[in-house]
Amino acid sequence: MKPVFEYTNAMRDKITHYCPGCSHGVAHRLIMEVLVERGELGKAICVSPVGCSITAHQYMNVDMIESPHGRAPAVAAGIKRVHPKGAVFTYQGDGDLASIGGNEILHSAERGENICTFFINNAIYGMTGGQMAPTTLIGMKATTCPAGRDLDNYGMPMRMCEIVQTMDLAVYVERVALNTPAHIRQAKKAINRAFEVQKQGLGYAFVELLSACPTNWGMQPAKAMEWVDKSMIPYYPLGQFRCPEEVK
Amino acid sequence: MAEKKLMKGNEAFAVAAIAAGCRYYFGYPITPQNEVPEYMARELRAAGGHFIQAESELASISFIYGAAAAGARCMTSSSSIGIALMQEGIGSCIICELPCVIINVMRGGPGIGSIQPAQADYTMVTKGGMNGDAHNIVYAPSTIQEAVDMIYKAFDVADDYRNPVIICVDGMIGQMMEPVVVPEFKPVLEEKDIEKVKPWALCGHKNKRDRNKINSVWLDHTELEVAINERIWPKYERAMKELPEWESKNLEGAEAVFVAYGSTARIAVEAMELLEEEGIKIGLIRPKTLWPFPDAAFDEIDKETTKVVISVELSMGQMLQDIKLALEGRYPTALINRVGGMLLTPNEIVERTKAVLGGMK
């Protein structure tokens, strides 16, 4: 009998260290499933960030290097120049990508580096224990904005898709979410399109995945999933900002 | 016999790297080394290589980190404060055992400092800069030809030790012109051969092997201690045996010994000649490697005649500290220096040497 569903062998046989309800596991598995389905697992090289997912090589069965904080796009560009046919991607959180790595992400987009970036936006610093991120929402509490982020002291949360899509060579920019089955199916399609952009050599591909961090949000996982819908998506609207004809 | 060409130092450094099989250069503009990236922008793509003008030195060293992890010979260059900015990436290359070559064309510091030649990065390049227990292998050429030869060799040393190698020159050698013979162009490691030559490199596992991981974080700290003790430090112990290089001159019968490197060594030699005319015999030890420091050179000092060992340097006694360690108290020491981008003249060295010797009587 033909199996209707199998757990991807691209995930290593290891229990993750991620908290209950964390979106990293879903994101990891979607990327691995897409690479297997595309036949690109063997040529994939991942650059992991500083953050909870720094040791993603424990779970993803692809060649991987841990980047200095924020520098993943430059590291990935160096790798891609050496292995132009590789499926090279960065996997970065909001502190890594939007705060300390803001310059690298913009210039990789500007140069049209032929790599993919998967941006896990959970609006908080996870690994260091819940500090404010550039994407922390107004009113949202974090350990470094204990009364909630306010405009006067902390400014506005950064919308990275909207910023990246101003670069002409960032040819594919999409924001998806990982909080419902329907959103997860859309996210998988977006990840696939990003790798297709790279395969066709079209330019830089950027996928933002709105994610939950129940532990540092102080919520039960189910509540955190609802919070993505209720609080994050209104400020970070889902959808394609740019998509080349070739991968539509 | 290969043809001699008159070349500016910075351009000669670039061509030496290309000759050594480097096809990946990443750099950010900073004076006085701009001719390195400018030469690479013109010539490296023509040679089938990759040049990227990085958005910052942080990005430069990160491109290097990626390209080296992917198995390529790669180089960056900068100057002093730019090298300071790269330290996190350099340390990451060290713990991840990624070979690369870095040229530091030194200027005055600290801070933005001056754009004139200096040697004030001695401590930064030899003893740290980066966090943690780590060393760079550091060469210090005193002519453009020697720089070319050292850069040519540095890529092999970097691959052998899987550690960054820094070529530390002062701005004078970067900016002046001298005749040089460019060595023969080496064959370039092709992408398809990387996984055979560097099985640790990231090439994609091709569904044929376990995934390669290159890690910089050690959540189990007992493993980091093992990595430093068993992987990193044995290499440094081997380096201390195999790599020290120096030149000695006129040590026999010398009243004092100058220790000087880079362009300062050339000025010190002129001062030695002037002093000899006055009947004062001075010897010279010129370290060619700053790390590992050539401790054994100091065993050659003439103990019958030498009264003092003088560090002649463009920094505030940074090298003097290593000289003292090498001497282990055998001789008194003194310092003749200028800093901030100011240079010593032969006459200034002569006068200050006489003052040192006079003070000892």
Side-chain angles (χ1 to χ4, degrees), chain A residues 12 42 57 61 63 66 83, chain B residues 65 205-206 210 212 216-217:
Chain A
R12 300 169 72 84
H57 46 71
N61 190 18
D63 278 10
E66 297 166 356
H83 299 301
Chain B
Y65 183 71
H205 56 53
K206 316 269 195 303
D210 192 9
N212 280 349
S216 172
V217 74

Side-chain angles (χ1 to χ4, degrees), chain B residues 64-77:
Chain B
I64 291 287
Y65 183 71
R73 285 200 156 176
C74 52
M75 184 173 91
T76 185
S77 60

Side-chain angles (χ1 to χ4, degrees), chain A residues 2 11 56 64 107 121 138 176 202 211 218 226 238 246:
Chain A
K2 196 177 167 219
M11 288 294 285
M64 197 176 302
H107 284 271
N121 179 6
I138 295 294
V176 294
L202 301 175
S211 301
E226 286 168 23
L238 304 186
E246 292 91 327

Side-chain angles (χ1 to χ4, degrees), chain A residues 211-241:
Chain A
S211 301
C213 181
T215 298
N216 287 302
W217 291 356
M219 292 178 201
Q220 292 292 324
K223 189 89 184 154
M225 298 302 159
E226 286 168 23
W227 196 81
V228 172
D229 268 335
K230 192 166 65 90
S231 302
M232 288 187 84
I233 293 175
Y235 188 79
Y236 298 116
L238 304 186
Q240 277 179 8
F241 293 83

Side-chain angles (χ1 to χ4, degrees), chain A residues 40-57:
Chain A
E40 293 185 327
L41 189 74
K43 62 176 198 167
I45 302 172
C46 174
V47 183
S48 68
V50 171
C52 291
S53 55
I54 187 167
T55 58
H57 46 71

Side-chain angles (χ1 to χ4, degrees), chain B residues 39 54-55 68 114 129 158 180 182 281 302 304 326 328 336 345 357:
Chain B
Y39 187 93
E55 56 269 36
S114 75
V180 287
V182 176
K281 195 170 176 218
D302 190 336
E304 304 299 321
E328 293 183 308
I336 295 179
T345 64
L357 290 171

Side-chain angles (χ1 to χ4, degrees), chain A residues 8-11 27-47 59-64 85-91 116 118 187-196 198-199, chain B residues 204-205 207:
Chain A
T8 176
N9 63 3
M11 288 294 285
H28 283 21
R29 195 169 124 191
L30 290 181
I31 295 168
M32 290 301 100
E33 283 180 358
V34 165
L35 284 169
V36 170
E37 287 161 19
R38 297 180 54 78
E40 293 185 327
L41 189 74
K43 62 176 198 167
I45 302 172
C46 174
V47 183
Y59 317 123
M60 296 192 207
N61 190 18
V62 291
D63 278 10
M64 197 176 302
K85 292 202 165 65
V88 180
F89 65 100
T90 72
Y91 184 101
C116 305
F118 301 112
K188 187 168 174 183
K189 286 180 188 155
I191 292 165
N192 185 53
R193 280 190 288 270
F195 281 116
E196 185 60 24
Q198 181 172 171
K199 189 180 181 189
Chain B
H205 56 53
N207 302 312

